[in-house]
Each structure stands twice: as structure tokens, then as C-alpha cells.
Amino acid sequence: MVYIYLGTLLLLLGIFSYKGYRNTQHVVVNKVRVELNNRPSERLLNVLHISDMHMEHISISPEQLYEKLKKENIDLIALTGDFLDRKRSIPKLVPYLQMFKKLNSKYGIYAIFGNHDYVLNDRNFAMLKKTLEKHGCKTLQNEHDTFMIDGLRINIIGIDDFSTHRSDLSASYNGLTQGYNLVLTHDPNIVLEMKPFKFDYLLAGHFHGGQIHWPKPYHLAAMGKLVKMDMLKGLHVYHGKPFYISEGLGQTGINIRMGSRPEITLHQLQLSSAQPVMNKTLTAV
């Protein structure tokens, strides 16, 4: 009888693991449109958001990713950290960076770092940063960059990883000129500290949507206050300011997902300081 129970348990575990692995191959394309309350604007910014690629456990190839994105109108690419945590994974990242460059985003590619990237020692982290920059990424560590769209200044604010205590809000905003503030960061818990700091939209990742969100992501309990506030993925508003948490493209730990999917996100932002309204359409691909 014990062998029957053990065999049944192993069978169920095998089915769970297989289904979880198959889920990592079913990428969801989320399309988010951030509109203005009764104030249509012709100034738009189309942002491709990719987070948590985790080269050690990623189930979509650069070629497959390109096929999903090649027909999209992309003005800017935002990569919000956790590229990898092993030196030997850096060469694997290169074809993905080449693919992003091939998308010809008008205002370039911006990259910030996550907690897994900082697992690398200083020398290997420098190699990761150099690789990103060599392939067209502007890396931001508590700093900002700007460009203009039809006379409106766009501020890209890159806040370093909050979970590893590298965030410096004052440095990130230092010398900032008034405009549309798009914040890129890895750990979304930083929004709880940003009441005094203006932003129009914020992009983050880190939680993987729980990755194993079944029946609930109890394992995320130690990952900050947002988890307890049930803000794990998707579109949220805090103190009147909207932010988006990507479920990430890769996995960490074990290469399975339950109750979550790898995510590619396309954000269409209407550019103004007016109060935004968020609409989201989901397309499983």
C-alpha cells in the first residue's frame, strides 16, 4: 500500500512539473494603454518592457521573441533587471541584445539591474554592464537620461535595486528638469518610498507573478510590503501614481510556472501631466 501511495505521489509530482515546465513556453503578450482623462494627446510613447530574463532559465529563443515583436511599433525598450547571475550566462544574453537592437526602437534601449545581477562579483558585473552597453543599451544606476518628443522632455529615471539596498532616490532625481517622468527599476517596493518624488509611470519586475502562484505565492512573503498588499503583477496605482509589475520572461530556482506565465509587455503612453487612466488588453501568444 505504501508503494501505491508513493507511486501516486511521484506521478502527480511528475505531472505538476511537466505542466509547470510547459507553462514557461507559453508567453503572454500584455498590451497596456495609459490614456488621459478626457484629454486626448497626439504625443505617444510606445514602450517595450522586458524584465527578469534569467538566462539560466529562459524558454523563449531570441528568434521566437523577434517573431512576436517585429510588427510592433516600438519607440523605446526598457529592460528592468535580473538578466543572469552567472558569468557563463553572459554570452547567452548577447543574441537577445542583438535582437532588441534589430527592433530599431527610436529612442533606444535602457537597462537597469536587479538583485540577481548583483550576485556576480565586481569583475563579472562589470563584464555584464559592458556587454549591455556594447550592444546599444544605456545602463542607469541611480541616474537619469532625457530626450525630447514634440517639445516635451522625457525623463528616463533608472533607480537601482531596492531589495539589495542600492536605491538612491535623491541621486536618481538630482538635476532633473521638469517633464514626463518614466521610472525604470527592478523591485517595485520602491514605490512605497516615492511619495515625495514625481513620476508619471513606473516599470518594474522582480516578483515573477509568484512564478509558482498555486494556490498562493506564500514563498514571496519576505519580498516586501507590496506582496502583503496583493500587488504582485500587472497594473497598480499608489498615491495616485500608476506602476506596472511584469511577471518576467525567465524563471529562477526551478524552471516551472504555475498560475503565472512569462510576459512581454507593450505600453502605449499618452504624454502629459494630466491624471492618467489605465486600460489593459491581454493577448496570449
Side-chain angles (χ1 to χ4, degrees), residues 116-177:
H116 277 260
D117 303 312
Y118 285 115
V119 170
L120 297 169
N121 63 33
D122 290 347
R123 181 177 179 181
N124 293 335
F125 178 83
M127 186 184 302
L128 169 61
K129 182 174 180 177
K130 183 177 179 180
T131 299
L132 287 163
E133 293 173 348
K134 179 181 177 181
H135 291 89
C137 299
K138 297 178 182 178
T139 60
L140 298 175
Q141 294 173 277
N142 294 320
E143 52 195 327
H144 60 266
D145 191 33
T146 65
F147 55 86
M148 305 294 290
I149 298 180
D150 296 333
L152 176 65
R153 183 180 299 275
I154 310 299
N155 297 315
I156 308 298
I157 304 165
I159 302 174
D160 214 349
D161 181 51
F162 182 73
S163 67
T164 53
H165 310 292
R166 288 178 167 85
S167 299
D168 188 332
L169 287 166
S170 295
S172 300
Y173 277 77
N174 185 40
L176 196 70
T177 302

Short mmCIF file of all heavy atoms in Angstrom, two decimals, residues 116-177:
data_model
loop_
_atom_site.label_atom_id
_atom_site.label_comp_id
_atom_site.label_asym_id
_atom_site.label_seq_id
_atom_site.Cartn_x
_atom_site.Cartn_y
_atom_site.Cartn_z
N HIS A 116 19.62 39.71 -8.81
CA HIS A 116 20.39 38.57 -9.33
C HIS A 116 21.64 39.03 -10.07
O HIS A 116 22.67 38.35 -10.01
CB HIS A 116 19.52 37.69 -10.23
CG HIS A 116 18.68 36.72 -9.47
ND1 HIS A 116 19.01 35.41 -9.30
CD2 HIS A 116 17.51 36.90 -8.80
CE1 HIS A 116 18.09 34.80 -8.57
NE2 HIS A 116 17.17 35.69 -8.25
N ASP A 117 21.57 40.15 -10.75
CA ASP A 117 22.76 40.67 -11.44
C ASP A 117 23.86 40.98 -10.45
O ASP A 117 25.06 40.80 -10.74
CB ASP A 117 22.40 41.93 -12.23
CG ASP A 117 21.27 41.68 -13.22
OD1 ASP A 117 21.35 40.69 -13.96
OD2 ASP A 117 20.32 42.47 -13.23
N TYR A 118 23.47 41.41 -9.26
CA TYR A 118 24.46 41.77 -8.26
C TYR A 118 25.01 40.57 -7.49
O TYR A 118 25.87 40.74 -6.61
CB TYR A 118 23.86 42.80 -7.29
CG TYR A 118 23.77 44.18 -7.91
CD1 TYR A 118 22.52 44.78 -8.15
CD2 TYR A 118 24.91 44.88 -8.27
CE1 TYR A 118 22.44 46.04 -8.71
CE2 TYR A 118 24.83 46.14 -8.83
CZ TYR A 118 23.60 46.72 -9.06
OH TYR A 118 23.51 47.97 -9.63
N VAL A 119 24.55 39.36 -7.83
CA VAL A 119 25.19 38.15 -7.31
C VAL A 119 26.60 38.01 -7.90
O VAL A 119 27.51 37.45 -7.28
CB VAL A 119 24.33 36.91 -7.61
CG1 VAL A 119 25.08 35.62 -7.30
CG2 VAL A 119 23.03 36.96 -6.81
N LEU A 120 26.77 38.53 -9.13
CA LEU A 120 28.08 38.49 -9.78
C LEU A 120 29.11 39.26 -8.96
O LEU A 120 28.78 40.27 -8.32
CB LEU A 120 27.99 39.12 -11.17
CG LEU A 120 27.06 38.44 -12.19
CD1 LEU A 120 26.89 39.34 -13.41
CD2 LEU A 120 27.62 37.08 -12.61
N ASN A 121 30.35 38.81 -9.00
CA ASN A 121 31.40 39.60 -8.35
C ASN A 121 31.65 40.86 -9.17
O ASN A 121 31.15 41.01 -10.29
CB ASN A 121 32.68 38.78 -8.14
CG ASN A 121 33.33 38.31 -9.44
OD1 ASN A 121 33.28 38.99 -10.47
ND2 ASN A 121 33.96 37.15 -9.40
N ASP A 122 32.42 41.78 -8.63
CA ASP A 122 32.60 43.09 -9.27
C ASP A 122 33.12 42.98 -10.70
O ASP A 122 32.65 43.68 -11.60
CB ASP A 122 33.54 43.95 -8.44
CG ASP A 122 32.94 44.39 -7.11
OD1 ASP A 122 31.71 44.24 -6.96
OD2 ASP A 122 33.68 44.87 -6.24
N ARG A 123 34.07 42.10 -10.90
CA ARG A 123 34.66 41.95 -12.23
C ARG A 123 33.64 41.43 -13.24
O ARG A 123 33.54 41.95 -14.35
CB ARG A 123 35.86 41.01 -12.16
CG ARG A 123 36.58 40.81 -13.49
CD ARG A 123 37.79 39.92 -13.32
NE ARG A 123 38.47 39.70 -14.58
CZ ARG A 123 39.56 38.94 -14.71
NH1 ARG A 123 40.08 38.35 -13.65
NH2 ARG A 123 40.12 38.79 -15.90
N ASN A 124 32.87 40.43 -12.84
CA ASN A 124 31.90 39.85 -13.76
C ASN A 124 30.69 40.77 -13.96
O ASN A 124 30.11 40.81 -15.04
CB ASN A 124 31.45 38.48 -13.25
CG ASN A 124 32.57 37.46 -13.29
OD1 ASN A 124 33.50 37.58 -14.08
ND2 ASN A 124 32.49 36.45 -12.44
N PHE A 125 30.34 41.54 -12.91
CA PHE A 125 29.27 42.53 -13.08
C PHE A 125 29.70 43.59 -14.09
O PHE A 125 28.90 44.00 -14.95
CB PHE A 125 28.93 43.19 -11.75
CG PHE A 125 27.87 44.26 -11.87
CD1 PHE A 125 26.54 43.92 -11.88
CD2 PHE A 125 28.23 45.60 -12.01
CE1 PHE A 125 25.56 44.91 -12.03
CE2 PHE A 125 27.27 46.58 -12.15
CZ PHE A 125 25.93 46.23 -12.16
N ALA A 126 30.95 44.02 -14.00
CA ALA A 126 31.47 45.00 -14.97
C ALA A 126 31.41 44.43 -16.38
O ALA A 126 31.13 45.15 -17.34
CB ALA A 126 32.89 45.39 -14.61
N MET A 127 31.64 43.12 -16.51
CA MET A 127 31.56 42.48 -17.82
C MET A 127 30.13 42.48 -18.34
O MET A 127 29.88 42.73 -19.53
CB MET A 127 32.08 41.04 -17.72
CG MET A 127 32.17 40.31 -19.05
SD MET A 127 32.66 38.57 -18.86
CE MET A 127 34.24 38.79 -18.01
N LEU A 128 29.16 42.23 -17.46
CA LEU A 128 27.74 42.27 -17.84
C LEU A 128 27.37 43.68 -18.30
O LEU A 128 26.74 43.86 -19.36
CB LEU A 128 26.86 41.85 -16.67
CG LEU A 128 25.36 42.09 -16.83
CD1 LEU A 128 24.80 41.31 -18.01
CD2 LEU A 128 24.62 41.73 -15.54
N LYS A 129 27.75 44.68 -17.52
CA LYS A 129 27.43 46.06 -17.87
C LYS A 129 28.05 46.45 -19.20
O LYS A 129 27.39 47.07 -20.06
CB LYS A 129 27.90 47.00 -16.76
CG LYS A 129 27.55 48.46 -17.01
CD LYS A 129 27.91 49.33 -15.81
CE LYS A 129 27.54 50.78 -16.09
NZ LYS A 129 27.80 51.65 -14.91
N LYS A 130 29.30 46.08 -19.40
CA LYS A 130 29.99 46.39 -20.66
C LYS A 130 29.31 45.70 -21.83
O LYS A 130 29.18 46.28 -22.93
CB LYS A 130 31.45 45.96 -20.56
CG LYS A 130 32.28 46.31 -21.79
CD LYS A 130 33.74 45.91 -21.60
CE LYS A 130 34.57 46.25 -22.84
NZ LYS A 130 36.00 45.86 -22.66
N THR A 131 28.85 44.46 -21.64
CA THR A 131 28.15 43.72 -22.70
C THR A 131 26.86 44.43 -23.08
O THR A 131 26.54 44.57 -24.27
CB THR A 131 27.86 42.29 -22.24
OG1 THR A 131 29.10 41.62 -21.96
CG2 THR A 131 27.11 41.51 -23.31
N LEU A 132 26.11 44.87 -22.09
CA LEU A 132 24.87 45.60 -22.37
C LEU A 132 25.15 46.87 -23.16
O LEU A 132 24.49 47.15 -24.18
CB LEU A 132 24.17 45.95 -21.06
CG LEU A 132 23.50 44.79 -20.31
CD1 LEU A 132 23.21 45.17 -18.86
CD2 LEU A 132 22.22 44.36 -21.00
N GLU A 133 26.14 47.62 -22.73
CA GLU A 133 26.45 48.90 -23.39
C GLU A 133 27.03 48.69 -24.78
O GLU A 133 26.75 49.47 -25.70
CB GLU A 133 27.39 49.70 -22.50
CG GLU A 133 26.72 50.15 -21.20
CD GLU A 133 27.66 50.80 -20.21
OE1 GLU A 133 28.90 50.69 -20.40
OE2 GLU A 133 27.17 51.40 -19.22
N LYS A 134 27.82 47.64 -24.96
CA LYS A 134 28.39 47.33 -26.27
C LYS A 134 27.30 47.04 -27.30
O LYS A 134 27.47 47.32 -28.49
CB LYS A 134 29.32 46.12 -26.15
CG LYS A 134 29.96 45.68 -27.46
CD LYS A 134 30.86 44.46 -27.26
CE LYS A 134 31.44 43.98 -28.60
NZ LYS A 134 32.29 42.77 -28.39
N HIS A 135 26.16 46.52 -26.84
CA HIS A 135 25.07 46.17 -27.75
C HIS A 135 23.93 47.18 -27.69
O HIS A 135 22.77 46.84 -27.94
CB HIS A 135 24.59 44.76 -27.45
CG HIS A 135 25.60 43.71 -27.81
ND1 HIS A 135 26.56 43.27 -26.93
CD2 HIS A 135 25.82 43.04 -28.98
CE1 HIS A 135 27.32 42.37 -27.53
NE2 HIS A 135 26.90 42.21 -28.77
N GLY A 136 24.26 48.42 -27.37
CA GLY A 136 23.31 49.52 -27.57
C GLY A 136 22.45 49.89 -26.39
O GLY A 136 21.56 50.74 -26.53
N CYS A 137 22.68 49.30 -25.21
CA CYS A 137 21.88 49.64 -24.03
C CYS A 137 22.51 50.80 -23.26
O CYS A 137 23.72 50.84 -23.07
CB CYS A 137 21.75 48.44 -23.10
SG CYS A 137 20.94 47.00 -23.83
N LYS A 138 21.67 51.70 -22.79
CA LYS A 138 22.10 52.74 -21.86
C LYS A 138 21.78 52.23 -20.46
O LYS A 138 20.61 52.05 -20.11
CB LYS A 138 21.37 54.05 -22.12
CG LYS A 138 21.66 54.65 -23.49
CD LYS A 138 20.86 55.93 -23.70
CE LYS A 138 21.12 56.50 -25.09
NZ LYS A 138 20.31 57.73 -25.34
N THR A 139 22.81 51.94 -19.67
CA THR A 139 22.58 51.44 -18.32
C THR A 139 22.46 52.62 -17.36
O THR A 139 23.18 53.61 -17.47
CB THR A 139 23.72 50.52 -17.87
OG1 THR A 139 24.95 51.24 -17.88
CG2 THR A 139 23.83 49.31 -18.80
N LEU A 140 21.51 52.50 -16.43
CA LEU A 140 21.24 53.56 -15.46
C LEU A 140 21.31 52.98 -14.05
O LEU A 140 20.60 52.02 -13.75
CB LEU A 140 19.87 54.19 -15.70
CG LEU A 140 19.65 54.88 -17.06
CD1 LEU A 140 18.20 55.33 -17.18
CD2 LEU A 140 20.59 56.06 -17.23
N GLN A 141 22.12 53.58 -13.21
CA GLN A 141 22.24 53.19 -11.81
C GLN A 141 22.10 54.44 -10.96
O GLN A 141 23.04 55.19 -10.76
CB GLN A 141 23.59 52.51 -11.56
CG GLN A 141 23.75 51.17 -12.28
CD GLN A 141 25.16 50.62 -12.15
OE1 GLN A 141 26.05 51.01 -12.91
NE2 GLN A 141 25.37 49.72 -11.20
N ASN A 142 20.87 54.68 -10.51
CA ASN A 142 20.54 55.89 -9.75
C ASN A 142 20.91 57.15 -10.53
O ASN A 142 21.57 58.07 -10.01
CB ASN A 142 21.24 55.87 -8.38
CG ASN A 142 20.74 54.76 -7.50
OD1 ASN A 142 19.54 54.49 -7.46
ND2 ASN A 142 21.64 54.11 -6.79
N GLU A 143 20.49 57.19 -11.77
CA GLU A 143 20.75 58.33 -12.65
C GLU A 143 19.62 58.42 -13.68
O GLU A 143 18.74 57.56 -13.73
CB GLU A 143 22.12 58.18 -13.33
CG GLU A 143 22.32 56.85 -14.03
CD GLU A 143 23.78 56.56 -14.37
OE1 GLU A 143 24.52 57.53 -14.66
OE2 GLU A 143 24.17 55.39 -14.35
N HIS A 144 19.65 59.46 -14.49
CA HIS A 144 18.58 59.63 -15.46
C HIS A 144 19.15 60.10 -16.80
O HIS A 144 20.27 60.58 -16.90
CB HIS A 144 17.53 60.61 -14.96
CG HIS A 144 18.05 61.99 -14.68
ND1 HIS A 144 18.45 62.40 -13.44
CD2 HIS A 144 18.24 63.06 -15.50
CE1 HIS A 144 18.86 63.65 -13.49
NE2 HIS A 144 18.76 64.08 -14.74
N ASP A 145 18.32 59.95 -17.81
CA ASP A 145 18.65 60.41 -19.16
C ASP A 145 17.41 61.11 -19.70
O ASP A 145 16.28 60.87 -19.23
CB ASP A 145 19.05 59.22 -20.03
CG ASP A 145 19.66 59.65 -21.36
OD1 ASP A 145 20.34 60.69 -21.38
OD2 ASP A 145 19.45 58.95 -22.37
N THR A 146 17.58 61.97 -20.69
CA THR A 146 16.44 62.70 -21.24
C THR A 146 16.50 62.75 -22.76
O THR A 146 17.57 62.66 -23.36
CB THR A 146 16.40 64.15 -20.71
OG1 THR A 146 17.54 64.86 -21.18
CG2 THR A 146 16.37 64.19 -19.19
N PHE A 147 15.32 62.90 -23.37
CA PHE A 147 15.20 63.20 -24.78
C PHE A 147 13.89 63.95 -24.99
O PHE A 147 13.07 64.05 -24.06
CB PHE A 147 15.27 61.93 -25.65
CG PHE A 147 14.27 60.85 -25.29
CD1 PHE A 147 12.98 60.87 -25.82
CD2 PHE A 147 14.62 59.81 -24.44
CE1 PHE A 147 12.07 59.88 -25.51
CE2 PHE A 147 13.71 58.81 -24.12
CZ PHE A 147 12.44 58.84 -24.65
N MET A 148 13.68 64.48 -26.16
CA MET A 148 12.51 65.30 -26.44
C MET A 148 11.58 64.62 -27.43
O MET A 148 12.04 63.96 -28.38
CB MET A 148 12.93 66.66 -27.00
CG MET A 148 13.91 67.44 -26.13
SD MET A 148 13.22 67.97 -24.54
CE MET A 148 12.05 69.24 -25.11
N ILE A 149 10.28 64.76 -27.21
CA ILE A 149 9.26 64.34 -28.17
C ILE A 149 8.33 65.51 -28.40
O ILE A 149 7.59 65.91 -27.48
CB ILE A 149 8.47 63.11 -27.69
CG1 ILE A 149 9.39 61.90 -27.52
CG2 ILE A 149 7.35 62.77 -28.68
CD1 ILE A 149 8.67 60.65 -27.05
N ASP A 150 8.36 66.10 -29.58
CA ASP A 150 7.48 67.22 -29.94
C ASP A 150 7.48 68.30 -28.87
O ASP A 150 6.43 68.81 -28.46
CB ASP A 150 6.05 66.72 -30.18
CG ASP A 150 5.95 65.77 -31.36
OD1 ASP A 150 6.80 65.88 -32.27
OD2 ASP A 150 5.05 64.92 -31.37
N GLY A 151 8.66 68.66 -28.41
CA GLY A 151 8.79 69.75 -27.45
C GLY A 151 8.60 69.35 -26.00
O GLY A 151 8.75 70.20 -25.11
N LEU A 152 8.25 68.10 -25.72
CA LEU A 152 8.08 67.63 -24.34
C LEU A 152 9.31 66.84 -23.92
O LEU A 152 9.75 65.92 -24.62
CB LEU A 152 6.83 66.75 -24.23
CG LEU A 152 6.59 66.12 -22.85
CD1 LEU A 152 6.30 67.19 -21.80
CD2 LEU A 152 5.43 65.11 -22.90
N ARG A 153 9.87 67.20 -22.78
CA ARG A 153 11.04 66.48 -22.26
C ARG A 153 10.60 65.16 -21.62
O ARG A 153 9.70 65.13 -20.78
CB ARG A 153 11.76 67.34 -21.23
CG ARG A 153 13.04 66.70 -20.68
CD ARG A 153 13.70 67.61 -19.65
NE ARG A 153 14.07 68.88 -20.25
CZ ARG A 153 15.20 69.09 -20.92
NH1 ARG A 153 16.07 68.10 -21.07
NH2 ARG A 153 15.46 70.27 -21.45
N ILE A 154 11.25 64.09 -22.02
CA ILE A 154 11.01 62.77 -21.44
C ILE A 154 12.20 62.42 -20.57
O ILE A 154 13.34 62.36 -21.04
CB ILE A 154 10.83 61.69 -22.53
CG1 ILE A 154 9.81 62.13 -23.60
CG2 ILE A 154 10.44 60.35 -21.90
CD1 ILE A 154 8.43 62.39 -23.06
N ASN A 155 11.94 62.21 -19.29
CA ASN A 155 12.99 61.84 -18.34
C ASN A 155 12.91 60.33 -18.06
O ASN A 155 11.88 59.85 -17.57
CB ASN A 155 12.82 62.60 -17.03
CG ASN A 155 12.97 64.09 -17.20
OD1 ASN A 155 13.89 64.56 -17.87
ND2 ASN A 155 12.07 64.86 -16.60
N ILE A 156 13.96 59.61 -18.40
CA ILE A 156 14.05 58.19 -18.08
C ILE A 156 14.88 58.08 -16.81
O ILE A 156 16.08 58.38 -16.80
CB ILE A 156 14.71 57.38 -19.21
CG1 ILE A 156 14.02 57.67 -20.56
CG2 ILE A 156 14.68 55.89 -18.89
CD1 ILE A 156 12.55 57.28 -20.61
N ILE A 157 14.25 57.67 -15.71
CA ILE A 157 14.88 57.66 -14.40
C ILE A 157 15.15 56.20 -14.00
O ILE A 157 14.22 55.41 -13.82
CB ILE A 157 13.97 58.34 -13.36
CG1 ILE A 157 13.63 59.76 -13.81
CG2 ILE A 157 14.63 58.34 -11.98
CD1 ILE A 157 12.47 60.39 -13.07
N GLY A 158 16.41 55.85 -13.91
CA GLY A 158 16.78 54.48 -13.57
C GLY A 158 17.19 54.37 -12.11
O GLY A 158 18.26 54.84 -11.72
N ILE A 159 16.33 53.77 -11.30
CA ILE A 159 16.60 53.62 -9.86
C ILE A 159 17.16 52.22 -9.62
O ILE A 159 16.55 51.22 -10.00
CB ILE A 159 15.32 53.83 -9.04
CG1 ILE A 159 14.72 55.22 -9.32
CG2 ILE A 159 15.61 53.68 -7.55
CD1 ILE A 159 13.38 55.46 -8.67
N ASP A 160 18.31 52.17 -8.98
CA ASP A 160 18.97 50.89 -8.75
C ASP A 160 18.17 50.01 -7.79
O ASP A 160 17.22 50.46 -7.14
CB ASP A 160 20.40 51.13 -8.24
CG ASP A 160 21.39 50.09 -8.74
OD1 ASP A 160 20.96 49.08 -9.32
OD2 ASP A 160 22.60 50.31 -8.56
N ASP A 161 18.59 48.76 -7.66
CA ASP A 161 17.80 47.73 -6.99
C ASP A 161 17.51 48.04 -5.52
O ASP A 161 18.43 48.23 -4.72
CB ASP A 161 18.49 46.38 -7.12
CG ASP A 161 17.69 45.27 -6.47
OD1 ASP A 161 16.49 45.16 -6.78
OD2 ASP A 161 18.25 44.54 -5.63
N PHE A 162 16.24 48.04 -5.18
CA PHE A 162 15.79 48.35 -3.83
C PHE A 162 16.05 47.19 -2.88
O PHE A 162 16.42 47.38 -1.71
CB PHE A 162 14.29 48.69 -3.87
CG PHE A 162 13.69 49.06 -2.55
CD1 PHE A 162 13.97 50.28 -1.96
CD2 PHE A 162 12.82 48.19 -1.90
CE1 PHE A 162 13.40 50.63 -0.74
CE2 PHE A 162 12.25 48.54 -0.68
CZ PHE A 162 12.54 49.75 -0.11
N SER A 163 15.87 45.95 -3.35
CA SER A 163 15.96 44.79 -2.47
C SER A 163 17.37 44.56 -1.95
O SER A 163 17.56 43.96 -0.88
CB SER A 163 15.46 43.53 -3.18
OG SER A 163 16.32 43.16 -4.24
N THR A 164 18.38 45.05 -2.68
CA THR A 164 19.77 44.91 -2.22
C THR A 164 20.31 46.24 -1.68
O THR A 164 21.52 46.42 -1.58
CB THR A 164 20.67 44.40 -3.37
OG1 THR A 164 20.51 45.24 -4.52
CG2 THR A 164 20.32 42.97 -3.74
N HIS A 165 19.39 47.16 -1.37
CA HIS A 165 19.72 48.43 -0.71
C HIS A 165 20.65 49.30 -1.56
O HIS A 165 21.51 50.02 -1.03
CB HIS A 165 20.35 48.17 0.66
CG HIS A 165 19.57 47.22 1.52
ND1 HIS A 165 18.33 47.53 2.04
CD2 HIS A 165 19.83 45.94 1.90
CE1 HIS A 165 17.86 46.50 2.72
NE2 HIS A 165 18.75 45.52 2.65
N ARG A 166 20.45 49.26 -2.87
CA ARG A 166 21.26 50.09 -3.77
C ARG A 166 20.50 51.30 -4.31
O ARG A 166 21.06 52.10 -5.05
CB ARG A 166 21.77 49.24 -4.93
CG ARG A 166 22.87 48.25 -4.54
CD ARG A 166 23.31 47.40 -5.73
NE ARG A 166 24.54 46.67 -5.45
CZ ARG A 166 24.61 45.50 -4.83
NH1 ARG A 166 23.49 44.91 -4.42
NH2 ARG A 166 25.77 44.91 -4.62
N SER A 167 19.24 51.41 -3.96
CA SER A 167 18.44 52.54 -4.46
C SER A 167 18.87 53.84 -3.81
O SER A 167 19.10 53.90 -2.59
CB SER A 167 16.95 52.30 -4.17
OG SER A 167 16.48 51.15 -4.83
N ASP A 168 18.94 54.89 -4.61
CA ASP A 168 19.23 56.23 -4.11
C ASP A 168 18.33 57.20 -4.88
O ASP A 168 18.66 57.63 -5.98
CB ASP A 168 20.71 56.58 -4.31
CG ASP A 168 21.10 57.89 -3.64
OD1 ASP A 168 20.22 58.76 -3.48
OD2 ASP A 168 22.27 58.04 -3.28
N LEU A 169 17.19 57.51 -4.28
CA LEU A 169 16.20 58.35 -4.96
C LEU A 169 16.72 59.75 -5.20
O LEU A 169 16.49 60.33 -6.27
CB LEU A 169 14.90 58.38 -4.14
CG LEU A 169 14.09 57.09 -4.17
CD1 LEU A 169 13.03 57.09 -3.08
CD2 LEU A 169 13.44 56.89 -5.53
N SER A 170 17.42 60.31 -4.23
CA SER A 170 17.93 61.67 -4.38
C SER A 170 18.91 61.75 -5.54
O SER A 170 18.87 62.69 -6.36
CB SER A 170 18.61 62.13 -3.09
OG SER A 170 17.66 62.24 -2.05
N ALA A 171 19.81 60.78 -5.66
CA ALA A 171 20.77 60.76 -6.77
C ALA A 171 20.05 60.56 -8.10
O ALA A 171 20.40 61.19 -9.11
CB ALA A 171 21.80 59.66 -6.56
N SER A 172 19.03 59.70 -8.11
CA SER A 172 18.30 59.42 -9.35
C SER A 172 17.61 60.66 -9.90
O SER A 172 17.50 60.84 -11.12
CB SER A 172 17.26 58.32 -9.11
OG SER A 172 17.85 57.13 -8.66
N TYR A 173 17.12 61.51 -9.01
CA TYR A 173 16.37 62.71 -9.40
C TYR A 173 17.24 63.97 -9.42
O TYR A 173 16.76 65.03 -9.80
CB TYR A 173 15.19 62.92 -8.45
CG TYR A 173 13.97 62.10 -8.80
CD1 TYR A 173 13.91 60.74 -8.50
CD2 TYR A 173 12.87 62.68 -9.44
CE1 TYR A 173 12.79 59.98 -8.81
CE2 TYR A 173 11.74 61.93 -9.75
CZ TYR A 173 11.71 60.58 -9.43
OH TYR A 173 10.59 59.82 -9.76
N ASN A 174 18.48 63.86 -9.03
CA ASN A 174 19.33 65.04 -8.92
C ASN A 174 19.50 65.74 -10.26
O ASN A 174 19.91 65.13 -11.25
CB ASN A 174 20.71 64.63 -8.38
CG ASN A 174 21.60 65.83 -8.14
OD1 ASN A 174 21.16 66.87 -7.66
ND2 ASN A 174 22.88 65.69 -8.50
N GLY A 175 19.19 67.03 -10.30
CA GLY A 175 19.33 67.82 -11.52
C GLY A 175 18.25 67.58 -12.55
O GLY A 175 18.36 68.07 -13.69
N LEU A 176 17.21 66.89 -12.18
CA LEU A 176 16.14 66.56 -13.13
C LEU A 176 15.38 67.81 -13.55
O LEU A 176 15.01 68.63 -12.72
CB LEU A 176 15.18 65.55 -12.49
CG LEU A 176 14.24 64.80 -13.43
CD1 LEU A 176 15.04 63.81 -14.27
CD2 LEU A 176 13.18 64.04 -12.62
N THR A 177 15.15 67.95 -14.84
CA THR A 177 14.36 69.05 -15.39
C THR A 177 12.92 68.59 -15.57
O THR A 177 12.67 67.43 -15.91
CB THR A 177 14.94 69.50 -16.74
OG1 THR A 177 16.31 69.88 -16.56
CG2 THR A 177 14.17 70.68 -17.30
#
